[in-house]
Amino acid sequence: MDKFRDSVAVITGGASGFGKEFARLGASLGMKLVLADIEQSALDATVAELQAAGATVIGRRTDVSKAADVQALADATMAAFGKVNLLFNNAGVAPGGLVWESTEQDWDWTLGVNLHGVLHGLRIFTPLMLAAAAADPGYQGHIVNTASMAGLTAAPTFGLYCVSKQAVVALSETLFHDLGLVSEQVKCSVLCPSFVATGINRSQRNRPADGGSATTAPSRSQLAAQAMLDRGIAGATISAQDVARVTFDAIRDDRFYIFPQPQSLATVQPRFDDILGMRNPRDPFGGHPEIRAAVIAALGRN
Ligand SMILES: NC(=O)c1ccc[n+]([C@@H]2O[C@H](COP(=O)([O-])OP(=O)(O)OC[C@H]3O[C@@H](n4cnc5c(N)ncnc54)[C@H](O)[C@@H]3O)[C@@H](O)[C@H]2O)c1
């Protein structure tokens, strides 16, 4: 996709982090924007900022884990702009903890946002994009699903997140093949960043009140995972703005895999080597024994 001016972008998780930077960059290219987010105050502030800068933008409070909310988002988009060219299935949350300590509500919340949110977006928006392509040979569409490097590795104490993001990678690869069967005009990409400073290490702020954890104290392993995430974020070497720029470059060049920090692929190589060599999995943080030591210490083991 190389025509951005007057094209329409729908961005979930558009009120913070990557989503907000996609919106800012899209606005600077003359795109019309639909921002969806569960956090109303942050959404209102982002919409106001973009409107003040002259952008055409609407905001809609949306819980992406709810199909009816995503359908209402699509209806509002079509009513306002009559088409969608660029869809960012980007909203996400990142809780952690030992696999067996994650509760049913933890799984429902994480898979609800990170996986079902993407599924709802694909199920509801892709047919609209394909119909637009069928009606207009000049139409261009592109879908970007935000996964993570966690979609290609399996890090200790991040089972919830890794499972959800590996599902998004598999879903995106399948989408790539499925779209290739039916259209030359609608493309897709999967975005796999490593740590970047955003609000992701505060994602509990958006946990629904009936999501079960607000009243229970976090376990040691959940605190250890939070500390690991905070540490990774504090050490981030690129910004959310950089991620948005790399992502738009990939959309323009029709590239599927988007790795804003390609050096992080070094953590993926041993995993696939072990699979192909039929060996037991190595610690993905093998190059950083201090990380493993810190987690073990936080768990209360010597
Ligand atoms: N920041 C990182 O280090 C990093 C690395 C890899 C992948 N990611 C992924 O990037 C995506 C964007 O996250 P971010 O880093 O910008 O974090 P962020 O917290 O700044 O932004 C996420 C946005 O999603 C929204 N959101 C949460 N639950 C929602 C729901 N149910 N419905 C709609 N919106 C909801 C939040 O309100 C927030 O505005 C996520 O999918 C995340 O998993 C982030």
Side-chain angles (χ1 to χ4, degrees), residues 2-234:
D2 57 8
K3 286 183 274 178
F4 293 101
R5 180 157 300 282
D6 292 327
S7 291
V8 177
V10 175
I11 307 170
T12 72
S16 176
F18 299 158
K20 189 170 181 170
E21 295 302 335
F22 295 148
R24 285 175 171 155
L25 188 40
S28 76
L29 295 171
M31 299 193 82
K32 297 171 179 164
L33 304 168
V34 181
L35 306 190
D37 206 285
I38 201 167
E39 194 172 342
Q40 185 75 62
S41 56
L43 181 61
D44 292 345
T46 304
V47 169
E49 174 202 304
L50 292 164
Q51 281 174 339
T56 304
V57 51
I58 58 172
R60 185 164 180 103
R61 188 183 181 280
T62 306
D63 179 347
V64 295
S65 70
K66 297 198 162 86
D69 277 22
V70 179
Q71 183 62 59
L73 175 67
D75 294 345
T77 303
M78 294 306 278
F81 300 124
K83 64 172 182 174
V84 182
N85 298 94
L86 188 47
L87 170 66
F88 290 95
N89 286 312
N90 168 74
V93 294
L98 294 169
V99 165
W100 57 91
E101 288 183 4
S102 300
T103 64
E104 198 177 348
Q105 289 99 330
D106 291 332
W107 284 103
D108 286 348
W109 177 47
T110 309
L111 295 180
V113 180
N114 292 7
L115 174 56
H116 288 267
V118 178
L119 283 170
H120 295 323
L122 295 180
R123 201 171 42 73
I124 292 167
F125 281 93
T126 313
L128 301 175
M129 299 171 85
L130 290 172
D136 174 7
Y139 170 89
Q140 296 182 332
H142 201 110
I143 299 168
V144 178
N145 296 328
T146 304
S148 167
M149 287 304 294
L152 297 164
T153 54
T157 73
F158 279 99
L160 287 162
Y161 192 66
C162 290
V163 167
S164 70
K165 294 300 188 179
Q166 300 219 5
V168 173
V169 171
L171 180 62
S172 304
E173 288 175 346
T174 312
L175 175 71
F176 176 87
H177 295 305
D178 286 355
L179 285 173
L181 297 175
V182 300
S183 177
E184 298 290 312
Q185 291 165 254
V186 182
K187 310 283 187 176
C188 69
S189 302
V190 65
L191 170 61
C192 298
S194 184
F195 295 116
V196 181
T198 63
I200 197 67
N201 54 333
R202 294 180 293 105
S203 51
Q204 298 285 345
R205 73 192 187 279
N206 292 313
R207 188 160 179 151
D210 60 358
S213 85
T215 50
T216 358
S219 69
R220 277 182 164 186
S221 75
Q222 288 165 341
L223 291 172
Q226 179 68 48
M228 207 185 334
L229 182 56
D230 290 341
R231 194 167 145 167
I233 296 281

Side-chain angles (χ1 to χ4, degrees), residues 240-252:
Q241 213 176 354
D242 295 327
V243 172
R245 204 176 43 246
V246 169
T247 303
F248 271 79
D249 287 347
I251 295 166
R252 210 177 270 112

